[in-house]
Amino acid sequence: LNKYIEEHIEYYVNNVLLKLESNTNEQEEYYIELLNNTKISTGTKEKLVSRINTIVGDLNKINETDMQLLLLSKNKISPTWKNILLIYNNSDKEFSESLIKYLNDIDNAKELSKIKMTIDKNEKGESIYSGLCREIVNSDRLNIDVFELLIKSVPWCYNSFQTEKLSDDKIITLINNWKICHEVEAFQY
């Protein structure tokens, strides 16, 4: 039976798995296997993601970038900085509309605010989270309540940032959270 299902996985997913009304939760391990299965079409995987409520804890386990982005857009990934960094790096180190929408979800922001990003460096000696942190600090597309939460996770303070993009509320939040280095030059905005 297992061999038959493996050989006819597309048919099985469309005509059995997706037809079961009560089947909205899959074990994460098996769900990831389905999403990574090259014998299942993208369209069927999209139906799976829409139907199944399972949250993917580690986005690195999903092989295809398009599938990672789909999971993000459907809010089906765990709110971790590791997952956010992966999406950010795969989006040319910019905040895509899907990522902004995900970050602007207050529940996601609350979870992310509980974890401080690390100051670890990659093999080139660059801080892994520095670009993402700078993007958060300079973002005009994050809601103020979300901004106030996310800024708690940023481990650095900054001498300069793009003040023309930021509201007074966000600048005050940066000051109150010690994200602007307290040097005279930093306050000249």
Side-chain angles (χ1 to χ4, degrees):
L1 182 62
N2 284 343
K3 186 175 180 173
Y4 178 83
I5 290 173
E6 284 178 33
E7 290 174 4
H8 300 90
I9 190 70
E10 177 87 17
Y11 178 86
Y12 172 78
V13 171
N14 278 310
N15 296 295
V16 177
L17 200 60
L18 291 172
K19 300 279 186 203
L20 296 171
E21 293 291 322
S22 62
N23 189 28
T24 56
N25 293 303
E26 284 288 325
Q27 287 185 337
E28 183 183 7
E29 176 185 349
Y30 300 120
Y31 184 52
I32 290 170
E33 279 183 36
L34 290 171
L35 295 177
N36 286 333
N37 191 316
T38 57
K39 294 179 181 175
I40 301 174
S41 70
T42 301
T44 299
K45 289 177 184 179
E46 289 171 356
K47 290 178 197 172
L48 262 175
V49 170
S50 294
R51 174 74 186 271
I52 303 297
N53 295 326
T54 302
I55 301 297
V56 174
D58 183 358
L59 210 47
N60 275 309
K61 292 181 178 178
I62 303 297
N63 297 338
E64 297 175 31
T65 302
D66 289 346
M67 201 52 48
Q68 294 170 351
L69 294 173
L70 178 63
L71 288 163
L72 173 79
S73 71
K74 299 289 187 183
N75 205 5
K76 305 266 177 107
I77 64 168
S78 290
T80 67
W81 287 117
K82 183 179 174 184
N83 285 341
I84 299 303
L85 183 65
L86 179 65
I87 293 289
Y88 174 75
N89 286 338
N90 289 341
S91 301
D92 298 325
K93 298 192 177 184
E94 294 182 348
F95 280 174
S96 65
E97 287 306 315
S98 294
L99 186 51
I100 287 292
K101 182 180 175 192
Y102 184 87
L103 292 172
N104 273 327
D105 180 298
I106 196 72
D107 293 326
N108 292 335
K110 284 178 183 176
E111 286 303 309
L112 288 165
S113 73
K114 295 175 185 177
I115 312 157
K116 196 158 206 93
M117 286 182 251
T118 69
I119 57 172
D120 295 342
K121 297 183 180 195
N122 63 19
E123 60 279 349
K124 296 178 187 174
E126 302 163 338
S127 296
I128 296 169
Y129 287 97
S130 63
L132 177 60
C133 287
R134 188 163 286 282
E135 190 78 24
I136 290 169
V137 167
N138 289 311
S139 179
D140 62 335
R141 299 186 299 163
L142 293 171
N143 299 333
I144 186 64
D145 51 340
V146 165
F147 185 82
E148 289 171 351
L149 289 166
L150 296 182
I151 210 69
K152 293 174 184 177
S153 296
V154 174
W156 293 285
C157 70
Y158 296 91
N159 289 321
S160 64
F161 53 95
Q162 299 169 353
T163 56
E164 66 279 357
K165 290 175 100 180
L166 297 176
S167 67
D168 290 344
D169 288 340
K170 287 185 178 176
I171 293 171
I172 290 167
T173 298
L174 290 170
I175 293 168
N176 289 340
N177 285 278
W178 297 83
K179 300 305 172 195
I180 297 177
C181 294
H182 292 348
E183 298 172 8
V184 176
E185 296 86 32
F187 289 100
Q188 296 176 350
Y189 66 88

